[in-house]
Amino acid sequence: MKSVCSNLLVLFRSVGSLTFGQGMISGVLALVLAALCFFGAIAFHFPEYLTTPELRQRYDVASIRQLMFCSMLLAGALAVLNLALLRTLWLASWSLALLALTAIMGGHNIAVGAFPTDVPYLGLDWLVLGLLGTAIIFITIEKLIPFRDQPVFRPEWQTDFQHFAVNHLLV
């Protein structure tokens, strides 16, 4: 566990863009998707405490399940590819471990029964959907209308991620 924490700290403290061919881009993507799927499974198990009531009424659970299934497949494929190519083994291993935990918890097929709606909640669904939506929108905009020609994982990507986390966690 100490090795994983130190590897994550090294990743977030490092500077410079991630380059193709080293397995870091696919490894980070696999780990982020696996973590989002894991958080999604936890939110499916405890919707009354971890989902936003206003947001719950607006999204289709079947679509969220489909998105979660596709994300699990993509994260698993990227992690297996990195394992096969012997690149970023620690990222691939942790991605597969999170995916295995998600699958053991029920994956995208977790049944959600009736639950009280008048309890305090954290809004984990808002965090997960916000990260996916923000990433898709801004990466697309930056690639279609670039201000400067820069990679997605440019030197400041860690700062961008930290700003996202703080802004969403404060909300």
Side-chain angles (χ1 to χ4, degrees):
M1 185 68 168
K2 183 179 178 186
S3 174
V4 172
C5 291
S6 63
N7 282 335
L8 284 174
L9 285 175
V10 167
L11 177 65
F12 281 109
R13 289 182 181 159
S14 63
V15 294
S17 61
L18 299 179
T19 57
F20 287 104
Q22 298 174 348
M24 287 299 289
I25 294 172
S26 57
V28 167
L29 184 58
L31 185 63
V32 168
L33 286 175
L36 290 175
C37 290
F38 178 72
F39 292 144
I42 292 172
F44 272 130
H45 275 291
F46 304 103
E48 66 272 22
Y49 302 112
L50 298 176
T51 60
T52 310
E54 295 84 10
L55 189 58
R56 248 192 329 253
Q57 297 169 359
R58 300 208 186 269
Y59 57 73
D60 178 36
V61 176
S63 298
I64 298 297
R65 290 182 191 283
Q66 189 65 33
L67 178 63
M68 187 172 172
F69 178 72
C70 292
S71 297
M72 289 176 70
L73 285 178
L74 180 59
L78 291 172
V80 168
L81 177 67
N82 278 346
L83 283 178
L85 296 175
L86 300 174
R87 297 186 293 185
T88 60
L89 299 178
W90 70 275
L91 282 171
S93 300
W94 278 97
S95 300
L96 290 174
L98 281 174
L99 289 172
L101 281 173
T102 302
I104 289 169
M105 291 179 0
H108 66 288
N109 290 320
I110 298 169
V112 178
F115 54 87
T117 58
D118 58 344
V119 296
Y121 60 89
L122 292 176
L124 186 60
D125 56 346
W126 178 250
L127 180 72
V128 171
L129 292 173
L131 179 60
L132 283 175
T134 304
I136 290 168
I137 289 168
F138 284 105
I139 290 171
T140 302
I141 289 171
E142 286 182 0
K143 287 300 164 191
L144 292 176
I145 312 166
F147 179 66
R148 294 180 298 230
D149 188 28
Q150 60 187 6
V152 172
F153 286 107
R154 60 191 178 282
E156 299 87 16
W157 76 268
Q158 297 95 337
T159 305
D160 293 344
F161 185 74
Q162 291 168 358
H163 282 265
F164 170 85
V166 168
N167 286 334
H168 274 70
L169 291 176
L170 288 178
V171 170

